[in-house]
Amino acid sequence: MAFRIRELVQSKAFSGMNVPDDSENTFLELKKKKVHRYVIFKIDENKNEVVVEKTGGPAESYDNFTKSLPENDCRYAVYDFDFVTSENCQKSKIFFFAWSPATSRIRAKMLYAMCRGSFKRSLDGIHYEIQATDPTEMDLEVIRDRAW
């Protein structure tokens, strides 16, 4: 086991992932143009980059978003959460999710954990980060509590 982990750490996959313009532009469409409610990203190990896997339209719900995450594999995601403050002001906060379910492969968990920081830094405008291994850790109430 120790040999495999060392091999993974030394591999090209952990030297840093590229973030193609398409991935950054899709995030900017969510942030500035409100074209998407959420974006789900996955690591393409063959290309050594983080790519857009799925987007959700502005009318999609938080439930649509959470159901779009794979049950047994890791992903990164951003979600544009709209809410109304106690002063009746419309607000929006962008959440970054590091989804790493307990049932996912160890290699995937390590890869996503190692690349998370550099990928997140490439997305300027994230308000909050949620690391979740179980759907209850990213329940809508958790998001609401963080946003207020």
Side-chain angles (χ1 to χ4, degrees):
M1 179 74 155
F3 173 73
R4 285 185 150 189
I5 292 172
R6 186 173 11 147
E7 181 182 304
L8 287 172
V9 171
Q10 293 171 349
S11 75
K12 179 181 169 188
F14 284 152
S15 64
M17 286 288 156
N18 296 320
V19 181
D21 289 343
D22 181 54
S23 294
E24 287 185 29
N25 291 338
T26 303
F27 172 73
L28 290 173
E29 289 173 349
L30 174 140
K31 177 183 163 185
K32 294 182 178 180
K33 298 180 183 178
K34 305 292 185 184
V35 174
H36 312 292
R37 173 66 56 201
Y38 62 86
V39 181
I40 297 174
F41 300 93
K42 74 182 243 179
I43 293 177
D44 184 334
E45 291 184 60
N46 294 327
K47 294 181 179 178
N48 199 39
E49 61 186 22
V50 180
V51 298
V52 173
E53 180 179 56
K54 182 177 183 181
T55 59
E60 291 204 37
S61 69
Y62 189 74
D63 193 43
N64 296 131
F65 163 65
T66 57
K67 287 181 179 176
S68 295
L69 293 168
E71 191 175 311
N72 298 313
D73 205 1
C74 302
R75 292 294 185 271
Y76 301 125
V78 289
Y79 185 85
D80 188 8
F81 180 64
D82 292 331
F83 62 100
V84 178
T85 67
S86 57
E87 294 85 27
N88 208 27
C89 294
Q90 183 71 35
K91 294 262 185 170
S92 176
K93 298 287 182 184
I94 298 175
F95 282 81
F96 176 85
F97 293 88
W99 172 242
S100 183
T103 56
S104 59
R105 298 178 332 249
I106 292 173
R107 177 176 169 63
K109 290 178 191 181
M110 290 177 61
L111 181 61
Y112 276 81
M114 294 291 288
C115 299
R116 187 188 87 243
S118 62
F119 177 63
K120 184 182 162 206
R121 281 189 298 277
S122 73
L123 306 177
D124 184 40
I126 301 292
H127 296 107
Y128 301 104
E129 179 177 355
I130 303 280
Q131 294 182 40
T133 59
D134 180 89
T136 60
E137 296 174 334
M138 54 186 283
D139 187 71
L140 185 56
E141 289 304 314
V142 172
I143 304 308
R144 283 187 181 129
D145 289 346
R146 278 279 190 79
W148 277 295

